[in-house]
């Protein structure tokens, strides 16, 4: 926007009033910005659910260590929580038996790239290779080809999201970050999750974080006591036509 300075004082005042009015209107009508410009491409951070539903999806990123995978499977089984694991292709190479164990236990094994790069620094061809190579590795172990993708580091732009969707996959972020990767205590992880969860939330954990196994039982029992049902992300996201609002919430098209 250019603001012209007039010689007359009334002109300056009128210009300021017009600019202020325009800004106020845009704040009250954020969707109007998208109507006048190319709409930003967003992944799914959460899902709008029905009023009588209280659904939440738990996800784990697996890129490096593997020391807690069996423990996580046992805890998830004990609380009957289905989860979605986003795994890196190189992790599949190192720990194929763990990938199979996750799948055999009923959890979804989805795509987190092959080598964990910053996707925004890759060309479309490089992005496609990262995704499809990881898909091939996961399918070879589990027999199921991934349909969901999570960007390493949560790093994306329009080109990344467009490329992912061109492969008939859905890009997935999260709206609740446990921050377990920071090495914080189990109590802090629990507080981060329980205080932020709402129906339709996607929660981010990591499979090799220091205190995640310790935090999970209280998180699961508390949310179940509050009436939440745990579902896999593939079962949380909507089929058919949808929109994604500015917060990344997936909403069924009317």
């Amino acid at each position: 926007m250019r603001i012209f300075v007039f010689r007359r004082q009334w002109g300056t005042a009128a210009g300021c009033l017009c600019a202020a009015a325009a800004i106020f209107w845009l704040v009250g009508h954020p969707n109007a910005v998208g109507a006048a410009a190319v709409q930003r491409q967003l992944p799914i951070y959460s899902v709008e659910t029905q009023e009588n539903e209280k659904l939440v999806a738990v996800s784990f990123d697996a890129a490096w260590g593997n020391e807690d995978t069996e423990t996580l499977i046992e805890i998830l089984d004990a609380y009957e929580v289905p989860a979605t694991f986003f795994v890196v292709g190189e992790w599949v190479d190192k720990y194929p038996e763990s990938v199979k164990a996750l799948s055999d236990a009923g959890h979804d094994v989805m795509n987190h790239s092959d080598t964990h790069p910053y996707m925004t620094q890759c060309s479309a061809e490089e992005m496609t290779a990262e995704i499809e190579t990881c898909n091939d590795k996961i399918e070879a172990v589990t027999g199921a080809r991934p349909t969901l993708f999570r960007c390493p580091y949560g790093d994306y732009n329009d080109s990344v999201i467009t490329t992912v969707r061109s492969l008939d996959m859905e890009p997935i972020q999260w709206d609740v970050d446990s921050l377990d990767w920071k090495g914080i205590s189990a109590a802090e992880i629990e507080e981060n999750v329980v205080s932020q969860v709402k129906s339709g939330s996607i929660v981010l954990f990591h499979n090799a974080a220091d205190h995640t196994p310790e935090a999970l039982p209280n998180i699961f029992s508390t949310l179940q006591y509050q009436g939440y049902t745990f579902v896999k992300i593939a079962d949380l996201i909507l089929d058919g036509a949808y929109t994604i609002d500015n917060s990344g919430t997936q909403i069924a098209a009317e």
Side-chain angles (χ1 to χ4, degrees), residues 141-191:
V141 174
T142 68
R145 196 163 187 83
T147 57
L148 306 178
F149 176 76
R150 174 169 285 163
C151 296
Y153 312 104
D155 174 53
Y156 68 89
N157 56 19
D158 286 358
S159 178
V160 175
I161 301 306
T162 298
T163 299
V164 173
R165 291 197 168 114
S166 75
L167 299 173
D168 294 323
M169 300 181 72
E170 198 62 65
I172 303 294
Q173 291 284 97
W174 59 88
D175 67 323
V176 177
D177 190 346
S178 68
L179 299 179
D180 59 353
W181 55 273
K182 288 188 171 183
I184 59 178
S185 68
E188 290 172 303
I189 294 171
E190 179 183 351
E191 173 63 20

Side-chain angles (χ1 to χ4, degrees), residues 5 75 91 99 142 163 174 197 222 226:
V5 180
I75 295 170
W91 196 83
V99 174
T142 68
T163 299
W174 59 88
V197 161
T222 298
Q226 293 176 356

Side-chain angles (χ1 to χ4, degrees), residues 45-47 54-56 175-176 193-194 196-202 228 249:
Y45 284 75
S46 63
V47 178
K54 294 186 72 173
L55 304 177
V56 60
D175 67 323
V176 177
V193 174
V194 173
Q196 296 183 69
V197 161
K198 65 181 186 299
S199 185
S201 282
I202 297 172
Y228 283 96
T249 302

Side-chain angles (χ1 to χ4, degrees), residues 31-93:
N31 292 334
V33 177
V38 176
Q39 186 175 359
R40 185 185 181 198
Q41 299 299 306
L42 292 175
I44 296 172
Y45 284 75
S46 63
V47 178
E48 183 178 72
T49 60
Q50 300 298 317
E51 290 185 6
N52 61 341
E53 291 181 321
K54 294 186 72 173
L55 304 177
V56 60
V58 168
S59 66
F60 295 84
D61 287 358
W64 291 283
N66 188 42
E67 55 270 23
D68 292 332
T69 304
E70 187 57 41
T71 300
L72 294 177
I73 291 174
E74 292 173 359
I75 295 170
L76 292 165
D77 180 65
Y79 288 87
E80 298 182 341
V81 173
T84 305
F85 285 78
F86 289 93
V87 304
V88 170
E90 291 181 343
W91 196 83
V92 179
D93 293 336

Side-chain angles (χ1 to χ4, degrees), residues 113-125:
S113 79
D114 189 48
T115 65
H116 207 265
Y118 285 95
M119 297 294 282
T120 57
Q121 298 177 12
C122 299
S123 67
E125 292 76 15

